[in-house]
Amino acid sequence: MIYIILSICCSVTVAVLLKLAKRYQISIIQAVTINYLAALSLCFLFFKPDVKLITPLAPWPIYIALAILLPSIFLFLAASVKNLGIVKTDIAQRLSLFIPILAAYFIFKEDFNDLKIIGLTIGFVAIFLTFFRKSNQEKGNKGSLLYPIMVFVGFGVIDVLFKQLALYKELPYTTSLFTVFCLAFMVSLLIVISMVMAGKIKIQLVNVICGFILGFFNFGNILFYMKAHKALAENPSTVFAAMNLGVIIAGTLIGVIAFKEKLSKLNYAGIILAIAAVIFITLSQNAVR
């Protein structure tokens, strides 16, 4: 259980760091780039991937798609935390699990039981209530709802792609993960170089330091999540439920208490329904077994 707690702490810390980035005027794209440099370095250190196994026959279309999506969604994640706060962003990220579930049904023709259908239905209501705003609230900032929507869709698609990598048996998953981090770093670096050449940003040491800190916690989230699944190999649904519920609850507490994020009664209702949705989906996995 300690691995689940550590993974939750790392996940929420990433959101907190992105929240603080606005206060201290950190360049997100620079921090994200260094984040992937730190992540691939830690991946090499802890997982010791065999790069010799990477050949032209590897699933390069998935690698390239993830390399573009990961830094892009990270920027939307940062924008969502900045504009809507930790609470709503964390819920958008966690409820993105609906996309791989829907993909399993429509693409992979997986059977759905009643519990999963109930969970999905509650989840979609939760999404609506969590992001509901009164018409007179933040009229000039309507576009900010785009950010959590992109987080929701983006993380869902990323999850589907990573699941496809996990099913690719010709290469160890950790080797594929290392390859994705390398490519994501290169994509981010190209963006930074182009922005520096255009005079839009300047390289600053503080962004590099923040990027390494961000990368440490980002990788920690992945490492401890994988260790939790290994330690509780016979109870994957326990890891799934504890992780998602833990992030939603911890993110809500930190957002409301530490950052004074304002939520309406309908938003709180959405949070409660989001928790209920995760519980039903977890129960549905047990029912299948």
Side-chain angles (χ1 to χ4, degrees):
M1 204 68 180
I2 185 63
Y3 291 132
I4 296 175
I5 295 171
L6 289 171
S7 183
I8 291 169
C9 289
C10 288
S11 179
V12 175
T13 300
V14 169
V16 171
L17 290 172
L18 293 175
K19 181 80 171 181
L20 293 174
K22 175 186 177 182
R23 183 179 301 175
Y24 296 102
Q25 298 182 328
I26 303 299
S27 170
I28 295 297
I29 184 59
Q30 289 183 52
V32 167
T33 302
I34 300 301
N35 150 76
Y36 285 117
L37 176 61
L40 71 88
S41 300
L42 290 168
C43 185
F44 186 83
L45 179 65
F46 280 91
F47 298 142
K48 296 179 173 54
D50 189 354
V51 293
K52 293 178 182 177
L53 296 175
I54 303 170
T55 67
L57 297 177
W60 285 101
I62 299 177
Y63 289 164
I64 293 169
L66 284 169
I68 295 170
L69 276 172
L70 281 173
S72 302
I73 294 305
F74 220 128
L75 295 178
F76 279 110
L77 183 71
S80 182
V81 170
K82 176 182 175 182
N83 287 278
L84 288 178
I86 295 172
V87 178
K88 296 182 178 183
T89 302
D90 273 342
I91 291 174
Q93 184 178 348
R94 292 299 145 186
L95 290 184
S96 67
L97 62 92
F98 294 155
I99 292 178
I101 289 174
L102 291 173
Y105 180 76
F106 289 106
I107 298 174
F108 304 109
K109 307 303 179 182
E110 180 182 310
D111 290 332
F112 273 27
N113 54 35
D114 292 340
L115 289 172
K116 189 166 286 188
I117 293 172
I118 292 170
L120 288 171
T121 304
I122 293 173
F124 284 118
V125 177
I127 292 169
F128 172 76
L129 294 179
T130 301
F131 301 110
F132 177 82
R133 291 177 171 185
K134 293 179 181 178
S135 58
N136 60 346
Q137 284 183 320
E138 301 183 36
K139 285 184 179 178
N141 203 24
K142 289 181 180 178
S144 62
L145 280 178
L146 171 68
Y147 304 130
I149 291 171
M150 290 302 297
V151 168
F152 174 79
V153 175
F155 273 100
V157 173
I158 287 169
D159 195 20
V160 171
L161 293 174
F162 270 124
K163 276 182 171 58
Q164 288 183 301
L165 285 185
L167 294 173
Y168 188 80
K169 302 301 181 183
E170 284 75 14
L171 272 176
Y173 180 74
T174 49
T175 300
S176 289
L177 186 65
F178 176 76
T179 306
V180 169
F181 282 153
C182 286
L183 294 173
F185 170 67
M186 288 189 283
V187 170
S188 302
L189 186 61
L190 286 174
I191 296 172
V192 169
I193 291 172
S194 64
M195 292 180 74
V196 169
M197 292 180 67
K200 293 181 178 180
I201 60 172
K202 293 181 180 179
I203 302 296
Q204 294 178 305
L205 181 60
V206 65
N207 298 320
V208 175
I209 295 171
C210 288
F212 275 113
I213 296 172
L214 190 65
F216 174 82
F217 285 105
N218 195 21
F219 178 77
N221 177 30
I222 297 169
L223 175 65
F224 292 127
Y225 188 65
M226 291 177 69
K227 283 184 174 291
H229 271 293
K230 188 175 181 180
L232 298 169
E234 295 181 359
N235 296 287
S237 59
T238 300
V239 179
F240 172 86
M243 183 64 192
N244 286 285
L245 292 174
V247 170
I248 290 173
I249 294 169
T252 299
L253 291 174
I254 291 173
V256 173
I257 297 172
F259 293 99
K260 310 298 181 185
E261 294 180 6
K262 295 181 180 180
L263 300 173
S264 67
K265 290 180 180 179
L266 287 177
N267 295 155
Y268 280 113
I271 293 169
I272 293 170
L273 287 177
I275 293 172
V278 173
I279 292 172
F280 271 105
I281 290 170
T282 304
L283 291 174
S284 75
Q285 292 180 325
N286 288 330
V288 170
R289 291 187 182 86

